[in-house]
Amino acid sequence: MSLPRIDVLFSEPVIARRVEKLAKEIAAMTMPRLLVIPVLKGSFIFAADLIRSMHRAGVEPEIDFLMLASYHEDTRSSGRIDVLRDIATDVSDRGVLLIDDILESGRTLHFAKELMARRGARQVKTAVLLDKPHRRAQDLEADFVGFKCPDCFVVGYGMDMAHRYRELPFIGVIKDPAD
Ligand code: IMP
Ligand code: MG
């Protein structure tokens, strides 16, 4: 089996500049007792950078983690969402910012938004690193978007393909070895 080639789609400095801007946009919005919730696992590096940039922009959030599964070993959505690890924080009457890596079909974020709303969050906003608008199944747009992403499978900066490549510091596209 030949190794796939990974082309850089968004480089480290390009990501860093965008994340800093995004944090300023988020800081400009006032939310009651802000709770930031990264949706694991794919958002962990983005969230770590974004939250530190938000700190530089003067935001003092609480942070909890939600782990959802919508994908299996392949690169297609299964359609079903499972809560693998729930938050331990009461969201009632609070402002919640959900952070995810990619918005594609919208099923994951729709599920997470509904969950927070059902639990009584006063306001639920969403920040995603990448928007892949080509396969939307839910009528949902993120409030804050890092980059528009072409309709291809990306890895790195926290995002995986079958549990690999999360450690790459850039966002890359896997090239078919046959190409
Ligand atoms: P949605 O529920 O279809 O919006 O799925 C979004 C989730 O699918 C993201 O949080 C990712 O975990 C995963 N995903 C979608 N596209 C990609 C990709 O190109 N690379 C890695 N993960 C992806
Ligand atoms: Mg994800």
Side-chain angles (χ1 to χ4, degrees):
M1 198 186 83
S2 55
L3 281 172
R5 202 178 76 230
I6 299 176
D7 288 350
V8 176
L9 183 61
F10 299 108
S11 68
E12 275 188 85
V14 165
I15 297 169
R17 277 197 295 274
R18 185 67 193 116
V19 168
E20 200 72 15
K21 282 212 180 114
L22 214 49
K24 291 200 176 101
E25 289 175 32
I26 292 169
M29 152 191 86
T30 42
M31 292 185 79
R33 293 164 58 228
L34 179 62
L35 176 68
V36 172
I37 306 180
V39 179
L40 300 176
K41 301 177 191 164
S43 72
F44 81 108
I45 292 180
F46 172 49
D49 284 347
L50 185 65
I51 288 165
R52 283 177 294 180
S53 294
M54 284 165 60
H55 159 75
R56 285 190 284 276
V59 184
E60 296 180 344
E62 270 184 48
I63 301 162
D64 202 344
F65 301 93
L66 180 65
M67 193 184 290
L68 300 178
S70 60
Y71 273 63
H72 298 282
E73 298 289 311
D74 64 16
T75 58
R76 285 187 315 277
S77 174
S78 65
R80 205 184 87 210
I81 313 288
D82 294 324
V83 176
L84 299 186
R85 190 259 183 213
D86 206 343
I87 52 166
T89 313
D90 181 5
V91 299
S92 56
D93 227 23
R94 304 187 67 153
V96 171
L97 177 71
L98 293 162
I99 301 180
D100 207 356
D101 52 353
I102 301 180
L103 170 60
E104 191 172 30
S105 75
R107 288 191 193 97
T108 307
L109 270 187
H110 175 76
F111 176 91
K113 279 184 83 170
E114 286 289 300
L115 190 65
M116 297 306 139
R118 231 185 301 135
R119 291 176 179 175
R122 198 191 305 176
Q123 201 179 11
V124 185
K125 298 278 184 186
T126 54
V128 298
L129 176 62
L130 301 177
D131 182 9
K132 289 169 77 171
H134 309 87
R135 296 168 200 268
R136 205 74 100 234
Q138 291 283 345
D139 184 18
L140 187 152
E141 296 303 325
D143 298 291
F144 303 95
V145 174
F147 304 99
K148 273 249 154 21
C149 183
D151 188 16
C152 58
F153 201 81
V154 297
V155 295
Y157 199 65
M159 297 172 286
D160 75 311
M161 186 178 77
H163 310 298
R164 295 190 60 196
Y165 310 115
R166 290 194 199 275
E167 72 281 13
L168 299 177
F170 57 87
I171 299 170
V173 181
I174 308 243
K175 288 287 165 189
D176 193 318
D179 283 352

